[in-house]
Amino acid sequence: MCGIIGYVGTRRAAPLLLEGLRRLEYRGYDSAGMATLEGKLWVRKDAGKLEEIERKLGLSSLPGRTGIGHVRWATHGSPSRRNAHPHLDDSGEVAVVHNGIIENYLELRRVLERKGHRFVSETDTEVIPHLISHFLRRGEGLERSVERAVGELKGSLAVAVLYAREPEKLVGVRRSSPLLVGKGNGESFLASDIPALLPFTRRVVPLQEEEMVVLTPSSFSLRHLPSGRAVARKPMEVKWTAEMAEKGGYPHFTLKEILEQPWAVGETLRGAGEEAEKLSRFLLRAEHLYFVGCGTSYHAAVVGKYLLAKLAGLQVEAVVASEFSESCGGDGRTAVLAITQSGETADVLRAVRHLRSLGGRVACLTNVVGSSVTRESQLVCYIRAGPEVSVVATKTFTSQVAYLLLLSLRLGEESGRLDRTEKKELLSSLLASPGLMERALRSSLTRTKALARKMLEEEHLYLVGRGLGYPVAMEGALKVKEISYLHAEALAGGELKHGTLALLEKGTPVIAVAVPGESKGRLMSNLEEMRARGARMIAVAEERDREVREHADLLLPVPRTGEFLSPLTFILPLQLLAYHLSVGRKLDPDRPRSLAKSVTVE
Ligand code: AGP
């Protein structure tokens, strides 16, 4: 996720762009930049926080009445000056800011390089100004060149384009990444999100999929690119406060991030491509495999362990990072995949260094480009879920799981466990999973709120699962503990009778994570054992799962995904329940007591 802004009007653009970027910083804060137009393109950009860059380079003193700006959350290429946006073509006449991921940038870059274009960054974005300039050189106009360039691009994008020869014009396009027009008097804006527009105007026009907009100071015209149709859309009046707007209109970042999971998983799957393939080769070369992580990332590691066993017949040990050096050895035949959202968790870094000291190899799966773990790893993979502001990890969990699913499918095919058709079918279900997650979220919002209301006074909650339902239960319990302070304990269904059953009394709430698959029948027997002790059974299950319905007092249904994809949807009602419990108990889910987003001490 990145933030983009554009301005064309009668005032000096740069101070307005800076003000807008300040309000978009929650979308990315590892680098920033601006380009304005006066006679020629003026560009200033660097790695670092927006305010530091402003102090160092004076972004706001750039001249001109037209300009674009960007705050970056790196996905391709580490945070650095040359990777920061805006990106330019060879002639220095076309400047582009971009939010999204270009999947086919490597192919396009090779083609353009053969035609003589010189690239200076490691980003996927840089192909865009070069492509536009390629069509401009062929004599096409600006709008047509942007349209043709976008036609070549696969992936997600929201772009703003500035062209030195047309100083009173700004072009924007939206595909899968948000983009809005803001209309003022004699001035027009483009932005990724409403907060950036609020200091200047409340009259907003959201772009729809595959739409292009051409802005001048006095007008804006929209066109649907595939059909070529002009689109008439009137501005709507936004009534948000600035704080509400920063959270996308949601009361908390936690809720915003829970609800943006379908988007985040889509980005993860779009961006993984060649990288996931490299990771599968990396892991296959090892004789002993470990997935290490802490908290939520550890739970994703356990999901990964189950997936690799089930889909590829591969044995992986999932280890809590802080215990790795105590319990695991290694040598040149050992490989670790370090799973860490922040890439800064001290326990993970220690585990990784421990294995390296023994001669083992390290790959990482992280969300933060250039983070410490990337410097300790021979292979670096990214989930590309966008910045996660809330202390509790939500969207990064499902993105980690989606990445591990993709990896397991590749390894499954490689190992011969999955034949071509099976892999293809699972892959197409995985690619369609954001739609199912969307449905699961929609149907769970009110159900979990009602359930939370009944549970506000509870002191203990148990979550049970078998198979892939077990790590999902662990993650659900962690969410409940972190933000609602209700004691929640997760168990593998089979372990109940070995002790915890003794704690269940009449009315004790228990949530069964009843994922489909071979182990579900045995979980149903566990449900009966618990019901016989008076437990109140709540179950997360696939809609229309009659068997679970018979054994539970209350059902939280999710759409049918089949066993392997189930962690992506089954966790959603649990996250929402934790959120509603937190709010219902008058707590602030964004700021859980005693916890930090990134734990940099051992
Ligand atoms: C998750 O909700 C927690 N805040 C925490 O357990 C977190 O997952 C853990 O600290 C690991 O962080 P990392 O993924 O950045 O390494």
Side-chain angles (χ1 to χ4, degrees):
M1 194 151 67
C2 299
I4 68 177
I5 183 152
Y7 174 80
V8 53
T10 50
R11 294 193 271 172
R12 271 192 54 232
L16 309 179
L17 295 174
L18 182 68
E19 185 56 41
L21 287 180
R22 284 194 180 114
R23 288 153 184 267
L24 289 175
E25 250 199 313
Y26 76 94
R27 301 178 66 88
Y29 40 76
D30 63 39
S31 19
M34 241 185 235
T36 57
L37 242 171
E38 190 171 78
K40 61 167 195 150
L41 280 178
W42 299 81
V43 183
R44 287 181 195 162
K45 57 183 189 174
D46 209 343
K49 296 241 164 62
L50 184 65
E51 287 310 324
E52 292 160 18
I53 302 172
E54 165 64 359
R55 270 198 301 278
K56 204 160 74 180
L57 304 179
L59 296 171
S60 57
S61 60
L62 283 168
R65 295 184 167 82
T66 312
I68 53 179
H70 190 267
V71 281
R72 180 167 188 246
W73 179 259
T75 57
H76 290 86
S78 56
S80 65
R81 202 191 97 75
R82 69 197 170 103
N83 289 335
H85 298 213
H87 287 283
L88 270 60
D89 70 325
D90 281 328
S91 69
E93 289 191 324
V94 179
V96 170
V97 286
H98 166 224
N99 170 32
I101 292 170
I102 308 299
E103 289 164 32
N104 57 339
Y105 81 102
L106 275 177
E107 291 154 57
L108 291 170
R109 182 171 171 149
R110 279 183 210 122
V111 173
L112 288 161
E113 278 174 338
R114 278 202 294 277
K115 291 185 195 295
H117 292 256
R118 277 177 308 108
F119 283 75
V120 294
S121 79
E122 303 155 299
T123 64
D124 52 341
T125 302
E126 203 185 349
V127 297
I128 308 175
H130 284 282
L131 267 175
I132 296 171
S133 137
H134 166 77
F135 291 111
L136 283 167
R137 279 185 216 167
R138 285 183 168 190
E140 309 272 15
L142 175 61
E143 287 92 317
R144 181 73 184 134
S145 298
V146 173
E147 181 179 351
R148 293 203 57 189
V150 168
E152 301 285 327
L153 303 171
K154 290 194 188 131
S156 58
L157 53 96
V159 288
V161 183
L162 204 58
Y163 182 36
R165 298 192 194 190
E166 302 211 35
E168 296 231 316
K169 202 183 264 183
L170 208 59
V171 180
V173 179
R174 177 208 162 132
R175 177 190 296 155
S176 305
S177 296
L179 193 61
L180 307 138
V181 171
K183 196 68 206 83
N185 289 330
E187 55 187 8
S188 308
F189 298 83
L190 261 184
S192 300
D193 210 345
I194 292 173
L197 299 173
L198 286 181
F200 319 116
T201 178
R202 287 180 183 262
R203 293 170 63 221
V204 167
V205 184
L207 265 72
Q208 305 293 331
E209 274 306 279
E210 299 288 344
E211 282 182 355
M212 175 161 118
V213 67
V214 180
L215 299 172
T216 67
S218 57
S219 69
F220 69 93
S221 57
L222 288 165
R223 199 150 59 81
H224 179 246
L225 289 178
S227 64
R229 253 186 309 109
V231 177
R233 191 171 302 134
K234 287 211 180 104
M236 59 181 198
E237 192 79 22
V238 179
K239 299 209 165 61
W240 287 357
T241 64
E243 210 214 357
M244 269 166 81
E246 194 176 292
K247 292 172 185 159
Y250 298 105
H252 301 100
F253 278 111
T254 306
L255 182 61
K256 175 176 180 285
E257 287 163 6
I258 289 174
L259 297 179
E260 76 190 13
Q261 289 178 98
W263 168 84
V265 163
E267 290 295 286
T268 301
L269 296 172
R270 260 194 281 272
E274 280 182 26
E275 195 189 85
E277 202 148 325
K278 278 192 202 152
L279 180 57
S280 63
R281 286 199 297 272
F282 182 94
L283 298 178
L284 279 176
R285 291 210 325 267
E287 277 177 34
H288 309 290
L289 273 180
Y290 295 103
F291 287 176
V292 300
C294 303
T296 292
S297 295
Y298 167 68
H299 298 151
V302 181
V303 172
K305 166 195 161 88
Y306 279 65
L307 288 173
L308 255 66
K310 283 172 184 282
L311 290 165
L314 270 179
Q315 229 36 69
V316 181
E317 228 182 294
V319 186
V320 169
S322 55
E323 292 297 314
F324 185 76
S325 63
E326 301 287 329
S327 61
C328 305
D331 54 28
R333 293 164 301 173
T334 313
V336 150
L337 175 65
I339 304 178
T340 164
Q341 184 283 130
S342 61
E344 301 294 345
T345 304
D347 290 328
V348 174
L349 295 174
R350 187 162 184 276
V352 156
R353 287 173 191 143
H354 172 71
L355 181 71
R356 288 189 61 178
S357 72
L358 301 174
R361 292 175 308 124
V362 175
C364 68
L365 181 61
T366 182
N367 194 33
V368 182
V369 175
S371 54
S372 300
V373 78
T374 65
R375 293 192 288 275
E376 303 279 347
S377 307
Q378 280 111 322
L379 179 67
V380 178
C381 304
Y382 293 110
I383 53 172
R384 301 180 172 87
E388 193 173 56
V389 178
S390 173
V391 169
V392 282
T394 53
K395 63 175 179 170
T396 53
F397 174 72
T398 41
S399 282
Q400 288 165 341
V401 167
Y403 203 109
L404 294 168
L405 264 159
L406 199 64
L407 177 74
S408 312
L409 295 185
R410 283 184 202 281
L411 289 167
E413 194 181 20
E414 198 83 30
S415 67
R417 261 293 163 108
L418 292 176
D419 65 33
R420 258 236 161 113
T421 331
E422 283 170 317
K423 184 200 160 187
K424 235 175 124 187
E425 278 172 9
L426 281 168
L427 185 62
S428 71
S429 309
L430 178 58
L431 296 177
S433 62
L436 297 176
M437 293 172 74
E438 190 84 58
R439 269 185 52 208
L441 286 166
R442 243 183 285 130
S443 83
S444 301
L445 254 176
T446 43
R447 281 193 173 94
T448 51
K449 192 171 182 181
L451 176 60
R453 223 176 283 133
K454 289 187 205 147
M455 287 176 61
L456 291 179
E457 303 304 320
E458 297 293 348
E459 284 178 18
H460 306 283
L461 169 68
Y462 297 90
L463 292 97
V464 290
R466 281 181 182 255
L468 283 163
Y470 175 42
V472 173
M474 294 200 279
E475 176 56 11
L478 182 64
K479 290 304 84 130
V480 170
K481 280 187 281 199
E482 282 185 291
I483 56 175
S484 78
Y485 313 152
L486 166 61
H487 167 243
E489 188 177 333
L491 289 151
E495 278 294 287
L496 267 168
K497 55 187 176 295
H498 298 290
T500 311
L501 206 51
L503 291 176
L504 300 190
E505 297 171 347
K506 194 166 172 353
T508 307
V510 179
I511 300 182
V513 185
V515 301
E518 191 258 327
S519 65
K520 200 182 75 187
R522 292 195 294 281
L523 185 67
M524 293 306 103
S525 313
N526 297 141
L527 260 60
E528 283 312 310
E529 286 162 2
M530 293 185 279
R531 263 174 112 182
R533 269 97 192 152
R536 184 152 59 95
M537 289 307 317
I538 301 146
V540 185
E542 284 189 342
E543 56 200 8
R544 288 199 278 274
D545 187 327
R546 287 226 193 95
E547 192 188 6
V548 179
R549 200 175 282 270
E550 275 167 24
H551 294 276
D553 302 307
L554 179 82
L555 207 65
L556 295 172
V558 290
R560 281 182 67 174
T561 54
E563 178 183 4
F564 305 122
L565 268 56
S566 61
L568 290 175
T569 50
F570 275 64
I571 189 60
L572 305 177
L574 301 177
Q575 294 169 339
L576 282 169
L577 177 65
Y579 172 76
H580 290 309
L581 280 169
S582 174
V583 174
R585 289 180 157 206
K586 309 250 176 305
L587 302 168
D588 180 353
D590 286 351
R591 293 189 195 89
R593 68 182 176 210
S594 318
L595 299 179
K597 179 75 187 152
S598 181
V599 186
T600 54
V601 289
E602 284 176 25

